[in-house]
Amino acid sequence: MSNQLCIVLDFGGQYNQLIARRVRECGVYCEIKRFDTPISEIRAMNPTAIIFTGGPNSVYDPSSPHISEEIFSIGVPILGICYGCQLMAYTLGGKVESCEKSEYGKIEITQGSDSLIFRDVPEKSVVWMSHTDFVSRLPEGFNVTAKSADCPCATFEAPDRKLYAVQFHPEVTHSEYGKQILHNFLYNVCGCTGDWVMDDFIENTVKKLREQIGDKKVILGLSGGVDSSVAAGLLSRAVGKQLTCVFVDQGLMRKDEGDFVEETFTKLFDMNFVRVNCKDRFLAALKGVSDPEQKRRIIGTEFYNVFWDKIREQGTDGFFAQGTIYPDRIESGRGNQAGHGSTAVIKTHHNMVKMPDDIKFAGTIEPLGDLFKDEVRAVGEKLGIPHDLVWRQPFPGPGLGVRIIGEITEEKIKILQEADAVFRDEIRKSGIESELKQFFAVLPDVRTVGVMGDHRTYDHLIAIRAVTTDDFMTADWARIPYDVLARVSNRLCNEVEHVNRVVYDITSKPPGTVEWE
Ligand code: XMP
């Protein structure tokens, strides 16, 4: 049984994935497609709804992304957002001009219509605007349904053709009733029924996986991260012991993390679990190396060799599975052939380990390939994967290797693991964990003088890092309360051997990065 589909046509805006996520949150399955996807392909996908995204261009710029007028007559309701709204007006014969006064930020709109998209939305509400062009004349057959002080056509529509346009961004939370407006479009205009539900996803996926895999074997590289863990849980439910998970423990995980992953997947799930402990091999390869890039290369190469050797040993006659998720697969509408930059790039992902040429599987399986991260987490919870794994923070592939500055030694790993565990424990107890996107300890390989009892000490400095961020492209240092910092500092110096000083990193990104390396 396939779900109703909403297609988000990507014109290069920055919130495109957010639009798709909001649509999914409304219970409607949604895919992002480039704006230049052939109309025949769009028709063949049989969508129930189409949304045009925003974008950075002006519609009257000849190199901006356009779409054939044919899209408006295929009989599928369309909602145009920001640039998408202007494009709809322009393509159908309206006029778009540069604003005398750009609107940016929270703006009040007034609507006084009985538009289907404004059901349960008050007459006045705040929306998020970000535009320097505006629709100055509507195409024939359209009428205005809302205005702002500076924008006479904040929303407009041709209900008989099921075409709707909003100049603002309903997908961002600053638009008070944005989600309601999207919901109204999907349900009241398009007739969506809300058939995208995670329970059904699990049931359907398990069924599909069983059909696809048959009696063959499946191998999955399990890192202990959210995506590969949830993929493992799904595959285990589908084929049990036909699944083998290979978990490479290079000794650079957080305290007890390797054991926790092993215990989870051997006790709670039916599968073959192969743990490769290779700390010594990694340490030997890293001996004497302090350059961060070289350390990364060594850890990457060692991982590649150990992992694929183990896979060869297990046999490659079945399928290879990976925890790729939807954002890893989306082809961006930015940098398109319409001339603003390079050709489209599909994001590569650290979960996708390049396969050596000599290894050939019957096929590759990506059971989470259609899901956003929050959906992956929801599936993980439903599968009974422990909270700590489902809500695990991002953790670099090279693990603590990027948090130990300079040469990596067994002693330094131990100090950092202990320090990190204490810091995490205090944050958890303080009740502020959910406010922080990532927090961890760093061992900068600096020794300083201290005093303990009557003795002079010369020991390690620990730096602690905690950030808030939406997307990790930029980040701010978290304002952890002083009393929490005081407890952390106290415990680190008292409980972790070889630590005599603690500093808190108050650098934002940019100019800093999240990790120290
Ligand atoms: P930076 O240090 O670049 O980090 O500001 C941004 C985010 O990426 C994570 N990170 C990595 N994740 N493999 C990963 O899977 C890596 O090699 C890697 N390096 C950094 C980092 O923890 C932060 O969340």
Side-chain angles (χ1 to χ4, degrees):
M1 194 205 80
S2 61
N3 294 96
Q4 288 182 321
L5 169 69
C6 170
I7 294 180
V8 171
L9 274 186
D10 180 358
F11 290 90
Q14 56 178 320
Y15 301 126
N16 302 345
Q17 288 198 28
L18 196 54
I19 298 174
R21 278 168 49 200
R22 291 281 178 265
V23 171
R24 302 250 190 125
E25 281 167 21
C26 290
V28 178
Y29 181 67
C30 169
E31 285 188 16
I32 300 174
K33 292 280 162 195
R34 285 173 56 100
F35 71 91
D36 53 1
T37 305
I39 307 279
S40 57
E41 202 178 300
I42 293 175
R43 266 184 206 274
M45 292 173 77
N46 193 24
T48 306
I50 294 176
I51 296 179
F52 290 1
T53 74
N57 303 73
S58 288
V59 289
Y60 41 76
D61 171 355
S63 68
S64 62
H66 282 224
I67 191 161
S68 156
E69 195 178 335
E70 192 191 340
I71 190 80
F72 300 104
S73 48
I74 63 172
V76 181
I78 299 177
L79 173 68
I81 293 176
C82 198
Y83 176 84
C85 143
Q86 295 161 9
L87 186 71
M88 183 185 290
Y90 181 81
T91 311
L92 293 171
K95 191 164 181 203
V96 176
E97 292 178 77
S98 189
C99 301
E100 256 173 47
K101 203 169 145 204
S102 312
E103 280 184 309
Y104 182 79
K106 291 182 180 179
I107 305 281
E108 186 178 76
I109 56 162
T110 307
Q111 60 93 14
S113 71
D114 53 4
S115 168
L116 289 176
I117 67 164
F118 283 125
R119 241 184 231 172
D120 298 325
V121 177
E123 186 191 350
K124 287 185 188 301
S125 69
V126 170
V127 297
W128 184 258
M129 292 274 197
S130 171
H131 65 117
T132 46
D133 290 346
F134 78 114
V135 176
S136 57
R137 194 188 67 230
L138 293 183
E140 216 170 294
F142 279 75
N143 57 286
V144 172
T145 48
K147 303 173 190 223
S148 70
D150 292 305
C151 185
C153 305
T155 68
F156 52 91
E157 64 190 37
D160 49 335
R161 298 175 67 185
K162 299 200 174 189
L163 301 179
Y164 291 78
V166 295
Q167 180 55 66
F168 56 87
H169 288 276
E171 68 277 19
V172 304
T173 48
H174 302 306
S175 292
E176 277 180 302
Y177 290 86
K179 195 161 167 197
Q180 180 69 43
I181 291 167
L182 285 174
H183 186 278
N184 286 342
F185 172 69
L186 295 165
Y187 285 76
N188 303 342
V189 176
C190 307
C192 290
T193 55
D195 61 4
W196 178 243
V197 205
M198 284 305 114
D199 283 317
D200 294 351
F201 170 83
I202 294 177
E203 201 178 305
N204 294 338
T205 306
V206 163
K207 201 160 143 248
K208 268 193 263 169
L209 287 170
R210 284 189 185 136
E211 279 164 16
Q212 186 181 2
I213 297 165
D215 58 3
K216 289 202 163 62
K217 292 198 297 183
V218 188
I219 291 191
L220 172 80
L222 185 69
S223 68
V226 183
D227 305 341
S228 63
S229 295
V230 176
L234 259 181
L235 283 159
S236 159
R237 181 166 294 189
V239 296
K241 284 267 185 303
Q242 285 166 255
L243 169 68
T244 299
C245 287
V246 174
F247 171 55
V248 176
D249 186 348
Q250 8 76 317
L252 293 168
M253 299 193 78
R254 289 173 288 199
K255 188 183 177 188
D256 299 332
E257 205 165 26
D259 294 344
F260 175 59
V261 171
E262 177 171 356
E263 204 177 294
T264 300
F265 288 100
T266 48
K267 288 211 176 126
L268 301 184
F269 292 90
D270 187 27
M271 64 171 67
N272 298 304
F273 185 89
V274 179
R275 176 171 176 177
V276 192
N277 286 321
C278 45
K279 179 158 126 192
D280 293 345
R281 174 176 174 161
F282 275 69
L283 280 176
L286 286 163
K287 196 166 169 48
V289 181
S290 55
D291 175 68
E293 280 305 309
Q294 209 187 338
K295 276 162 43 181
R296 262 186 188 271
R297 262 196 306 278
I298 292 171
I299 296 172
T301 309
E302 287 300 315
F303 178 86
Y304 182 90
N305 293 336
V306 171
F307 180 71
W308 291 110
D309 279 350
K310 195 41 97 181
I311 299 287
R312 286 187 190 94
E313 207 180 294
Q314 295 293 318
T316 56
D317 47 332
F319 290 93
F320 182 67
Q322 32 185 24
T324 317
I325 68 171
Y326 188 51
D328 308 328
R329 300 195 305 123
I330 299 173
E331 217 179 325
S332 165
R334 250 170 287 181
N336 49 60
Q337 59 192 23
H340 38 97
S342 59
T343 50
V345 188
I346 301 174
K347 273 204 304 169
T348 51
H349 188 250
H350 45 268
N351 276 350
M352 297 182 195
V353 190
K354 193 184 169 310
M355 198 178 285
D357 292 337
D358 67 299
I359 293 191
K360 300 264 183 291
F361 280 94
T364 302
I365 294 176
E366 296 176 335
L368 308 175
D370 289 335
L371 300 190
F372 283 106
K373 195 82 171 187
D374 35 8
E375 294 171 321
V376 172
R377 291 202 161 105
V379 169
E381 300 264 21
K382 284 187 186 295
L383 289 169
I385 295 173
H387 182 87
D388 279 2
L389 269 183
V390 169
W391 291 96
R392 191 179 190 254
Q393 294 179 19
F395 189 62
L400 298 183
V402 301
R403 296 179 184 167
I404 294 172
I405 313 308
E407 187 189 1
I408 299 172
T409 63
E410 182 144 27
E411 188 197 28
K412 288 187 199 166
I413 297 175
K414 176 102 176 87
I415 296 172
L416 184 57
Q417 281 179 332
E418 294 298 329
D420 187 67
V422 166
F423 181 37
R424 283 191 293 137
D425 183 49
E426 271 311 317
I427 292 293
R428 198 160 287 183
K429 284 183 186 153
S430 71
I432 58 168
E433 189 175 3
S434 62
E435 294 162 35
L436 311 177
K437 276 290 166 67
Q438 200 174 6
F439 51 96
F440 53 85
V442 179
L443 189 79
D445 204 17
V446 170
R447 279 161 206 252
T448 68
V449 172
V451 55
M452 195 163 279
D454 293 333
H455 299 284
R456 175 186 186 276
T457 57
Y458 185 62
D459 242 328
H460 277 285
L461 162 77
I462 284 286
I464 52 180
R465 179 87 164 130
V467 295
T468 56
T469 173
D470 283 329
D471 55 8
F472 291 96
M473 303 296 283
T474 60
D476 197 6
W477 59 277
R479 280 22 174 204
I480 296 181
Y482 279 176
D483 56 336
V484 179
L485 289 173
R487 277 198 301 275
V488 171
S489 162
N490 214 353
R491 281 191 61 193
L492 285 175
C493 293
N494 282 316
E495 293 176 28
V496 184
E497 234 181 307
H498 298 299
V499 171
N500 70 352
R501 190 177 295 268
V502 180
V503 294
Y504 184 41
D505 180 353
I506 52 166
T507 322
S508 300
K509 174 183 179 177
T513 48
V514 175
E515 302 289 349
W516 279 38
E517 303 252 5

